[in-house]
Amino acid sequence: MIPLLSVSDLSVGFGRKAEANEVVRGVSFDLADGQTLAIVGESGSGKSVTALSINRLVDFGGGKITGGSIRLRRGDGGVLDLAGAAEPQLTKIRGAEIGMIFQEPMTSLNPVLSIGTQIAESFRLHRGLTGRQAIAAAKDALDRVRIPDAARRLKYTPNQLSGGMLQRVMIATALACNPRLLIADEPTTALDVTVQAQIMALLAELKRETDMSMIFITHDIGLVAGIADKVMVMQNGQAVEQGELNQILDHPRHAYTQHLLHAVPHFASGKATRSDGRREKAPDAEPALKVDGLAVRYPVRSGLFGRATGAVHAVDGVDFELMPGETLAIVGESGSGKSTTARAVLGLVRSTRGSFSASVRKAAAGQSALPIQMVFQNPYASLNPRLTIESILAEPVIASGGRVNAETRARMTTLLKRVGLPENSLERYPHEFSGGQRQRLCIARALMLNPSVVVLDEAVSALDVSVQARVLELLVDLQREFGLAYLFISHDMAVVERIAHRIAVIYAGQIVEIGDAKSVLSAPRHAYTKKLIAAVPTIERRRQRFELDTRQVPSLVRPLGFEPGPAKWDVFGSDHRVRIEG
Amino acid sequence: MRILKAIFAHTSGRIGGFIVGLYLLLAMLGLFGLTPHNPLTQYRVDRLHAPSAAYWMGTDLFGRDVASRLMTGIGQSFTVAFFSVAFATLAGTVLGLAAAWFGRRWDGLLMRIMDVLLAFPAILLALLIVAVAGPGTWTSVLAIGIVYTPIFTRVVRGPALSLKAREFVDAARTFGSSSGYILTRHLLLNLVAPLTVQVTLALAWALLTEAGLSFLGLGTQPPAASLGLMLSDSRNLMETAPWLMIFPGIAIMISILGFNLLGDALRDILDPKMRRAIA
């Protein structure tokens, strides 16, 4: 039997001299009906380009297939080499035989058209349906991807739907013509972990129902375990290893696959938490940061005169203590209020209520030290592109009234060396550094004033997985060396497990569970924490059956003057408490 | 240095740069009096003399050398254009940064004033200001400067608003950097590229507006020369002495072409998205 798709010796290049500038070199694989192939690799490995070459979308990005063949067995049994096919032929194949979903559902849909119109368009183009028929088909498609209340949602525009819902709409569109091959390019990377679990469950179910084949592209080898039959690992444009799922995960042969499986943080349900710096060591120490009853509210205005009619309770009654040398991770999904908490602590957003105090450490050499510093998520946006590294590092010193002298320069070079950057970095500009290096620069900048608390807002989320691991190691080393307290904001449980001593789970603006990292991760008590942890993909949970759950996050908008009742807590063990829902 | 090299590598930049360079040279010579003849001397015998070896571009009704007057005229027009654009850039940058930085009411108030100014056609507004303040070189500078201030305000305000929301500005706030430091180092420094482009293009418009004002008799006053004034003087002699009109006309046209070409080239070079394609 001929495989559905047979790619052999595929090479793809970019630019005018595509042959000299190849980003995919000699990739071969076969895909049978109903099989799922996962392509795993870091950014720049060529995984997306490989997938985009199959439906030849790569042509529109300036790419050119420089060698090899892509044989697709068509619905009528004929075999077509897509590498040499002409554009009119390809237009018929895209959508009808090969469906595709992208990473960003928010930007893949037209914001001014209703989703019904956009799904119906696919039926109009490929199946020749018109008017009512097309709309009815669109409703069925939404039902199929388990969107509740589909008939009403057809009239919604994309901004009225959440990211997870939009990704379902994208899947519905891609599946409109029952393609025999679905290409999913990082379909869940932009989504929250519980939503990711929903989408994965949906894809798995749809695959069972329709017997379609799938190519699933991801950087997260943990996600592969739940869905793939075969795995292909890519590095620098080459397929370094491919084979059956179990074989790759249990007996990786190539060094890079081993690196991906072992050096990269994977979630291990609390088995990989840190064992240093337990809080019992110093029971009566002064906390480095104490937050008490923090609340951030934004007024909701409506009507002709913009009267406040309610308030968004972004953060409501959050309190915690952070000891020196300790990492408190704040985990939660987007919109839960975790970043707002961090920004309120730094004074970047004004808090409505609550107090926080940070102990000022004895500053080195007469510098006035600001006790709290921050490292941001996006290393590309948090450094001014027009300033040299020297000016960037000098800024905190100048801001706190210091002078740039030999001493500060010495501190700059020491810190640069400490975070692992070359010594000649001072005269260079940010664009000369990679993402990981820039994040190291941001860390060095945050340490210039010798702070006692560093807030890390998704500080490793934008980095490639193996870079992530090295930056985490650096953070742990720096913490030990300087006795720093970290407030680590993250949505990524695997990363949190590696760095946190304590974890606070935040949901709808409130802490629902807080305690020792091991205890929270291995024995979660709150329903939401359980759901969150169950959704984390791991290589241990193979062929996991995700359950579909279409509940929405509760609204944070409260009527004017609303006050939440005092929190009641259930206490488990020495350092683990859970909010009782009242 | 790098930017000069980039301009030279860019086709329209090369042409525009050459034209602008040539004009700057002519303007300098004109301003320092290094002209073939004295632009004010009236050679009575040679009135309305056609272009010849002695008078390269002929003479006007009073027997003054057109080539010499053209050079001083370019000097005059460029002086007005440079000072008015400098005024507009300074005022526009300050107002635009203020609008973006203080936001809310200030933003609304400043931008609405700018909208009102923009609603007038440039030459009409300039005429209005000159009519109130009386004609003269420095009133033209002021008038043209005010006319182009709203454009610079807009050019600065938009990017400043987006820069203000960038993470490096948030980072600066966490260090406690002063507003002045953030405004100059983080906002202004990143605005240099769009401003450079805008300045080059505004010079072309300012030249044209100055010519228009002088043509209407409200800019440079005779006997001093300026491009617009020379055109104005040639109106009644168009048929008997066409060189009086042709040379200043071509001079205005080519100068504007030069600045526009240079501006386009700078836009390509300074746009970070284009930078890699050229380099």
Side-chain angles (χ1 to χ4, degrees), chain B residues 171-188:
Chain B
R173 290 206 178 118
T174 65
F175 312 136
S177 286
S178 63
S179 301
Y181 189 91
I182 296 177
L183 277 168
T184 50
R185 280 308 188 83
H186 293 314
L187 299 191
L188 204 52

mmCIF file of all heavy atoms in Angstrom, chain B residues 171-188:
data_model
loop_
_atom_site.group_PDB
_atom_site.id
_atom_site.type_symbol
_atom_site.label_atom_id
_atom_site.label_comp_id
_atom_site.label_asym_id
_atom_site.label_seq_id
_atom_site.Cartn_x
_atom_site.Cartn_y
_atom_site.Cartn_z
ATOM 1 N N ALA B 171 10.684 48.927 32.470
ATOM 2 C CA ALA B 171 11.894 48.556 33.199
ATOM 3 C C ALA B 171 12.528 49.803 33.804
ATOM 4 O O ALA B 171 12.916 49.813 34.976
ATOM 5 C CB ALA B 171 12.876 47.851 32.265
ATOM 6 N N ALA B 172 12.613 50.881 33.012
ATOM 7 C CA ALA B 172 13.200 52.123 33.507
ATOM 8 C C ALA B 172 12.435 52.638 34.715
ATOM 9 O O ALA B 172 13.014 53.135 35.671
ATOM 10 C CB ALA B 172 13.208 53.170 32.399
ATOM 11 N N ARG B 173 11.107 52.461 34.693
ATOM 12 C CA ARG B 173 10.313 52.922 35.838
ATOM 13 C C ARG B 173 10.634 52.117 37.080
ATOM 14 O O ARG B 173 10.633 52.654 38.180
ATOM 15 C CB ARG B 173 8.823 52.783 35.520
ATOM 16 C CG ARG B 173 8.395 53.776 34.488
ATOM 17 C CD ARG B 173 6.921 54.095 34.631
ATOM 18 N NE ARG B 173 6.584 55.108 33.636
ATOM 19 C CZ ARG B 173 5.711 54.910 32.664
ATOM 20 N NH1 ARG B 173 5.042 53.787 32.602
ATOM 21 N NH2 ARG B 173 5.475 55.848 31.789
ATOM 22 N N THR B 174 10.913 50.822 36.886
ATOM 23 C CA THR B 174 11.211 50.023 38.076
ATOM 24 C C THR B 174 12.547 50.429 38.695
ATOM 25 O O THR B 174 12.765 50.213 39.864
ATOM 26 C CB THR B 174 11.232 48.508 37.783
ATOM 27 O OG1 THR B 174 12.321 48.242 36.900
ATOM 28 C CG2 THR B 174 9.960 48.038 37.157
ATOM 29 N N PHE B 175 13.461 51.007 37.893
ATOM 30 C CA PHE B 175 14.705 51.501 38.501
ATOM 31 C C PHE B 175 14.486 52.856 39.147
ATOM 32 O O PHE B 175 15.358 53.364 39.829
ATOM 33 C CB PHE B 175 15.822 51.714 37.457
ATOM 34 C CG PHE B 175 16.025 50.592 36.522
ATOM 35 C CD1 PHE B 175 16.199 50.815 35.172
ATOM 36 C CD2 PHE B 175 16.049 49.295 36.988
ATOM 37 C CE1 PHE B 175 16.387 49.776 34.304
ATOM 38 C CE2 PHE B 175 16.233 48.252 36.110
ATOM 39 C CZ PHE B 175 16.396 48.488 34.779
ATOM 40 N N GLY B 176 13.354 53.480 38.855
ATOM 41 C CA GLY B 176 13.113 54.823 39.340
ATOM 42 C C GLY B 176 13.761 55.879 38.484
ATOM 43 O O GLY B 176 14.109 56.951 38.975
ATOM 44 N N SER B 177 13.967 55.612 37.202
ATOM 45 C CA SER B 177 14.550 56.617 36.313
ATOM 46 C C SER B 177 13.650 57.851 36.249
ATOM 47 O O SER B 177 12.428 57.734 36.316
ATOM 48 C CB SER B 177 14.695 56.051 34.903
ATOM 49 O OG SER B 177 15.745 55.139 34.858
ATOM 50 N N SER B 178 14.278 59.025 36.087
ATOM 51 C CA SER B 178 13.499 60.257 36.042
ATOM 52 C C SER B 178 12.779 60.354 34.693
ATOM 53 O O SER B 178 13.180 59.732 33.714
ATOM 54 C CB SER B 178 14.419 61.456 36.216
ATOM 55 O OG SER B 178 15.322 61.507 35.133
ATOM 56 N N SER B 179 11.716 61.178 34.681
ATOM 57 C CA SER B 179 10.960 61.356 33.440
ATOM 58 C C SER B 179 11.856 61.892 32.343
ATOM 59 O O SER B 179 11.765 61.476 31.193
ATOM 60 C CB SER B 179 9.803 62.320 33.658
ATOM 61 O OG SER B 179 8.966 61.827 34.659
ATOM 62 N N GLY B 180 12.727 62.814 32.708
ATOM 63 C CA GLY B 180 13.629 63.401 31.722
ATOM 64 C C GLY B 180 14.511 62.359 31.077
ATOM 65 O O GLY B 180 14.692 62.341 29.860
ATOM 66 N N TYR B 181 15.031 61.471 31.890
ATOM 67 C CA TYR B 181 15.894 60.412 31.368
ATOM 68 C C TYR B 181 15.113 59.511 30.420
ATOM 69 O O TYR B 181 15.568 59.180 29.326
ATOM 70 C CB TYR B 181 16.461 59.598 32.532
ATOM 71 C CG TYR B 181 17.537 58.613 32.141
ATOM 72 C CD1 TYR B 181 18.873 58.981 32.162
ATOM 73 C CD2 TYR B 181 17.204 57.329 31.733
ATOM 74 C CE1 TYR B 181 19.859 58.096 31.802
ATOM 75 C CE2 TYR B 181 18.192 56.429 31.362
ATOM 76 C CZ TYR B 181 19.521 56.805 31.401
ATOM 77 O OH TYR B 181 20.495 55.930 31.028
ATOM 78 N N ILE B 182 13.909 59.118 30.833
ATOM 79 C CA ILE B 182 13.100 58.223 29.988
ATOM 80 C C ILE B 182 12.736 58.927 28.680
ATOM 81 O O ILE B 182 12.840 58.358 27.604
ATOM 82 C CB ILE B 182 11.821 57.771 30.731
ATOM 83 C CG1 ILE B 182 12.198 56.943 31.952
ATOM 84 C CG2 ILE B 182 10.908 56.975 29.820
ATOM 85 C CD1 ILE B 182 11.027 56.516 32.797
ATOM 86 N N LEU B 183 12.347 60.219 28.795
ATOM 87 C CA LEU B 183 11.941 60.953 27.596
ATOM 88 C C LEU B 183 13.091 61.078 26.608
ATOM 89 O O LEU B 183 12.905 60.883 25.413
ATOM 90 C CB LEU B 183 11.440 62.342 27.980
ATOM 91 C CG LEU B 183 9.986 62.402 28.441
ATOM 92 C CD1 LEU B 183 9.680 63.751 29.058
ATOM 93 C CD2 LEU B 183 9.050 62.149 27.264
ATOM 94 N N THR B 184 14.291 61.404 27.095
ATOM 95 C CA THR B 184 15.387 61.612 26.157
ATOM 96 C C THR B 184 16.002 60.298 25.703
ATOM 97 O O THR B 184 16.155 60.056 24.516
ATOM 98 C CB THR B 184 16.481 62.501 26.775
ATOM 99 O OG1 THR B 184 16.809 61.967 28.063
ATOM 100 C CG2 THR B 184 16.020 63.924 26.920
ATOM 101 N N ARG B 185 16.329 59.424 26.660
ATOM 102 C CA ARG B 185 17.053 58.221 26.296
ATOM 103 C C ARG B 185 16.163 57.170 25.637
ATOM 104 O O ARG B 185 16.555 56.509 24.692
ATOM 105 C CB ARG B 185 17.700 57.588 27.541
ATOM 106 C CG ARG B 185 18.986 58.264 27.958
ATOM 107 C CD ARG B 185 19.892 58.325 26.755
ATOM 108 N NE ARG B 185 21.230 58.782 27.064
ATOM 109 C CZ ARG B 185 22.186 57.989 27.538
ATOM 110 N NH1 ARG B 185 21.958 56.739 27.818
ATOM 111 N NH2 ARG B 185 23.385 58.473 27.738
ATOM 112 N N HIS B 186 14.965 56.979 26.166
ATOM 113 C CA HIS B 186 14.148 55.871 25.679
ATOM 114 C C HIS B 186 13.184 56.291 24.584
ATOM 115 O O HIS B 186 12.905 55.523 23.680
ATOM 116 C CB HIS B 186 13.394 55.229 26.838
ATOM 117 C CG HIS B 186 14.299 54.543 27.803
ATOM 118 N ND1 HIS B 186 15.301 53.708 27.389
ATOM 119 C CD2 HIS B 186 14.378 54.582 29.140
ATOM 120 C CE1 HIS B 186 15.951 53.260 28.444
ATOM 121 N NE2 HIS B 186 15.414 53.778 29.512
ATOM 122 N N LEU B 187 12.644 57.512 24.674
ATOM 123 C CA LEU B 187 11.698 57.917 23.636
ATOM 124 C C LEU B 187 12.413 58.645 22.500
ATOM 125 O O LEU B 187 12.427 58.186 21.365
ATOM 126 C CB LEU B 187 10.590 58.801 24.226
ATOM 127 C CG LEU B 187 9.724 58.174 25.312
ATOM 128 C CD1 LEU B 187 8.521 59.057 25.606
ATOM 129 C CD2 LEU B 187 9.228 56.803 24.890
ATOM 130 N N LEU B 188 13.062 59.764 22.832
ATOM 131 C CA LEU B 188 13.628 60.619 21.787
ATOM 132 C C LEU B 188 14.658 59.883 20.934
ATOM 133 O O LEU B 188 14.656 59.988 19.711
ATOM 134 C CB LEU B 188 14.252 61.852 22.441
ATOM 135 C CG LEU B 188 14.370 63.085 21.556
ATOM 136 C CD1 LEU B 188 13.042 63.419 20.905
ATOM 137 C CD2 LEU B 188 14.852 64.277 22.368
#
